[in-house]
Amino acid sequence: LNGIDLCIDAGSTVGIVGKSGAGKTTLVNLLYNLYRVDSGSILIDGTNINHYNLHSLRSQIGIVHQETILYEDTLRYNLSFTNNKDNDEQLIEVIKKVALYDVFQTFSNGLDTLLGTNGQELSGGQKQRLAIARILIKNPKILIFDEATSFLDSQNEVIVREMIGNLSKDQTIIIIAHRFSTIKDCDKIIVLDDGIVKGFDTHNVLIKSNQTYINLFREQCIQGGSFNEAL
């Protein structure tokens, strides 16, 4: 990454696009101090992230990755990383929010159901919704979706996209995506190319004036239709 100069408004939803290796995941990894910047600074609420206690910093950030890691344990544990039953009502409410309640009702042991090795009883879309449920339970200030819909079919991608759209407006959301349908409605979109920000604006502005964005849109978004149809 070189010469990054960005200001993301609190409570906004921002997309990040770019070819593989452009620096998308590196950018968000720096945000929660997975490794430190060589120069310059990253501020959250005006405070340099290096001045935060690491646990305090990361407690404010929730991440949903491409692949969901599930433990060979109960549904309760996979949602909250504890088998304490004090917050079961909250867990069930979150299950409803992520459209997993129908599946949950088929589990004879409810929250005590063992999911098996890496959640083998669940589909890819259900696993991703479970990962989002974890984040909703954590309720962080900043939510990061790192290619969270890339392995999903179109139907599940729509479900997950709608869930992201319904998240609290008090939370700042950052979405890394190859599918432009996932980020077209973001408040702003960061266009990265070889570690450099080539654009930072709305989809409607970028698609008319930013050649890097236009090229990415043509290459990665259009499938079986014309450029104008995809707009």
Side-chain angles (χ1 to χ4, degrees):
L1 297 173
N2 295 284
I4 303 297
D5 185 10
L6 295 168
C7 181
I8 297 175
D9 293 331
S12 64
T13 300
V14 172
I16 306 178
V17 296
K19 293 182 178 180
S20 296
K24 303 184 296 296
T25 298
T26 299
L27 188 63
V28 296
N29 284 347
L30 288 169
L31 185 61
Y32 58 93
N33 224 347
L34 187 62
Y35 37 79
R36 299 196 173 194
V37 295
D38 297 321
S39 60
S41 59
I42 299 172
L43 311 179
I44 297 179
D45 292 338
T47 300
N48 191 309
I49 62 171
N50 293 329
H51 297 161
Y52 281 97
N53 171 278
L54 192 59
H55 175 76
S56 175
L57 172 68
R58 292 180 179 173
S59 69
Q60 298 181 61
I61 300 172
I63 306 169
V64 180
H65 293 287
Q66 270 184 315
E67 296 188 51
T68 302
I69 296 174
L70 298 178
Y71 298 95
E72 194 169 351
D73 208 311
T74 64
L75 175 60
R76 179 187 294 105
Y77 184 86
N78 274 283
L79 283 168
S80 59
F81 301 117
T82 176
N83 273 314
N84 189 308
K85 299 183 179 183
D86 291 344
N87 65 338
D88 280 7
E89 288 186 12
Q90 180 195 8
L91 298 187
I92 293 172
E93 284 304 309
V94 170
I95 286 170
K96 291 177 180 178
K97 284 183 179 180
V98 298
L100 282 176
Y101 192 63
D102 287 347
V103 178
F104 172 72
Q105 288 182 304
T106 67
F107 294 162
S108 57
N109 292 320
L111 291 169
D112 292 314
T113 300
L114 292 172
L115 294 185
T117 305
N118 202 29
Q120 59 191 16
E121 296 87 356
L122 302 175
S123 69
Q126 290 165 349
K127 289 179 184 179
Q128 282 298 71
R129 281 178 267 164
L130 183 57
I132 294 173
R134 284 175 176 169
I135 299 304
L136 295 182
I137 292 163
K138 183 178 180 181
N139 195 30
K141 289 184 178 180
I142 300 171
L143 291 171
I144 298 171
F145 295 88
D146 188 355
E147 299 281 11
T149 63
S150 62
F151 290 161
L152 303 183
D153 58 33
S154 57
Q155 182 178 4
N156 274 297
E157 194 246 346
V158 169
I159 293 171
V160 171
R161 194 169 73 234
E162 289 177 349
M163 281 191 295
I164 294 172
N166 291 329
L167 292 173
S168 171
K169 297 304 178 185
D170 294 330
Q171 293 170 309
T172 304
I173 301 171
I174 300 172
I175 304 171
I176 298 175
H178 275 97
R179 293 180 180 175
F180 280 73
S181 56
T182 307
I183 51 89
K184 278 173 62 177
D185 295 327
C186 289
D187 297 311
K188 283 191 174 181
I189 299 168
I190 300 167
V191 184
L192 278 177
D193 185 32
D194 197 22
I196 299 171
V197 174
K198 291 295 184 74
F200 184 40
D201 217 313
T202 65
H203 168 79
N204 289 338
V205 171
L206 293 170
I207 201 63
K208 295 175 182 176
S209 60
N210 189 288
Q211 194 58 52
T212 302
Y213 187 79
I214 292 169
N215 291 342
L216 287 168
F217 192 86
R218 289 182 185 275
E219 293 171 10
Q220 299 176 26
C221 182
I222 302 172
Q223 295 180 0
S226 70
F227 181 77
N228 288 333
E229 286 172 346
L231 293 178

